[in-house]
Amino acid sequence: MQSGVKIAIGGKGGVGKTTVCAVWAQLFAEGGFDVLAIDADPNTNLALACGIPSEQSPEPLIKMKQLIGERTGTGKGSVGAYFKLNPKVSDLPEEYWLEVDGVKLLVLGGITQGGGGCACPEGAFLKALLTHSILQRKEVVLVDLAAGVEFMGRASVQGVDALVVVVEPGARSIETAINMARMGRELGVKQIAAIINKITEDGQTDEIKSKLTDIAVIGNISYSAAVQRADLGRRSVFQADTELVGILRDAQNKLMGIIGSGQRVGC
């Protein structure tokens, strides 16, 4: 495997992308890699998936208005409506990440208000942090993206080595995956792959694969009641289901092999 690999994980809300991110982060850490896991979803659940109690979960950086104001030039004493499009953020990961089981967890959060994009100080701040993490950091970086395709439109994942879309049986999930893959290609993402999750019936895998015609499927996961119980109990998903962890280990190895070989998939 390579160090310094950058992987973004996305999909429709509720498909299990946070579970994939949490398990992969732990697998990379156990493999001896320096791992930075970034929660870029407005619904910041990656800490919970890693087994961190809610009272110990880091505050999302998007909520730190004073910090954002200082870095973007919109803080107290600033004049006018202008802000820095490329604020300094290189020192922030070390200051705000939380280390758990060998993984450095950085909780960014996301913009939740309607019409919120990158044409605002918060958007510029988030994009700068992601860009720095993807292009400048030396760790293995895993990004748990916001649900849906809007995040792709902000071009915040340019420079990742791979985009992995998580898909569940359902037309909306499949459509989201196809749209994310298309947008990823337009942004120049090198590798695009899919993981099918929450399979409940024979034949669902083949049906989904038939619709993901140009997206390589690297893993198929049955619905896991154990993961659901872990979520309800606020426990680490990595400890919840050994079969799921094994499938995701194989999927991770497949993806890393593709990245390492330079073979282009999903195009």
Side-chain angles (χ1 to χ4, degrees):
M1 290 189 185
Q2 308 170 48
S3 61
V5 170
K6 313 300 193 299
I7 302 170
I9 303 165
K12 187 182 76 67
V15 295
K17 61 187 181 59
T18 300
T19 294
V20 172
C21 188
V23 171
W24 274 2
Q26 192 62 57
L27 287 171
F28 273 119
E30 289 190 354
F33 291 88
D34 195 8
V35 183
L36 175 61
I38 299 176
D39 191 344
D41 193 329
N43 297 314
T44 51
N45 293 317
L46 186 55
L48 176 62
C50 292
I52 300 171
S54 57
E55 63 272 14
Q56 297 177 19
S57 296
E59 180 183 12
L61 268 69
I62 192 64
K63 293 185 178 180
M64 299 182 184
K65 303 303 182 185
Q66 182 176 344
L67 174 64
I68 294 172
E70 291 172 353
R71 295 305 174 97
T72 61
T74 59
K76 186 176 180 180
S78 62
V79 179
Y82 297 101
F83 57 88
K84 298 176 183 177
L85 292 175
N86 295 295
K88 179 186 175 184
V89 295
S90 58
D91 60 317
L92 296 182
E94 285 83 354
E95 185 173 352
Y96 289 101
W97 69 42
L98 175 68
E99 293 197 47
V100 53
D101 295 330
V103 175
K104 296 180 288 193
L105 174 64
L106 183 63
V107 181
L108 301 188
I111 299 169
T112 57
Q113 68 267 26
C118 55
C120 62
E122 292 83 0
F125 178 79
L126 289 180
K127 184 173 181 180
L129 257 173
L130 274 175
T131 300
H132 165 75
S133 299
I134 291 169
L135 298 181
Q136 304 299 327
R137 303 294 308 187
K138 302 303 182 184
E139 301 98 335
V140 169
V141 177
L142 301 171
V143 183
D144 183 10
L145 296 174
V149 300
E150 182 189 3
F151 210 82
M152 299 293 295
R154 298 176 191 169
S156 300
V157 297
Q158 282 182 308
V160 297
D161 296 291
L163 168 65
V164 176
V165 290
V166 183
V167 191
E168 66 181 2
R172 287 176 294 171
S173 177
I174 294 169
E175 183 177 348
T176 297
I178 291 171
N179 287 335
M180 288 192 74
R182 174 182 54 79
M183 297 174 78
R185 294 185 196 101
E186 292 172 354
L187 293 171
V189 176
K190 298 175 182 178
Q191 311 291 357
I192 299 174
I195 292 174
I196 302 174
N197 191 26
K198 300 186 179 180
I199 300 166
T200 58
E201 297 178 4
D202 293 339
Q204 287 180 337
T205 299
D206 289 340
E207 183 176 356
I208 294 172
K209 283 183 177 180
S210 72
K211 293 177 171 60
L212 303 180
T213 54
D214 55 357
I215 305 173
V217 175
I218 58 173
N220 309 299
I221 305 171
S222 296
Y223 172 80
S224 174
V227 168
Q228 184 184 57
R229 289 193 296 270
D231 185 30
L232 286 170
R234 295 181 174 271
R235 301 188 305 274
S236 168
V237 296
F238 188 78
Q239 306 296 333
D241 189 327
T242 55
E243 181 179 354
L244 176 143
V245 170
I247 294 170
L248 285 177
R249 179 182 285 109
D250 290 342
Q252 183 191 73
N253 288 335
K254 288 178 183 176
L255 182 64
M256 295 301 292
I258 291 168
I259 292 172
S261 70
Q263 172 191 353
R264 243 183 127 74
V265 298
C267 58

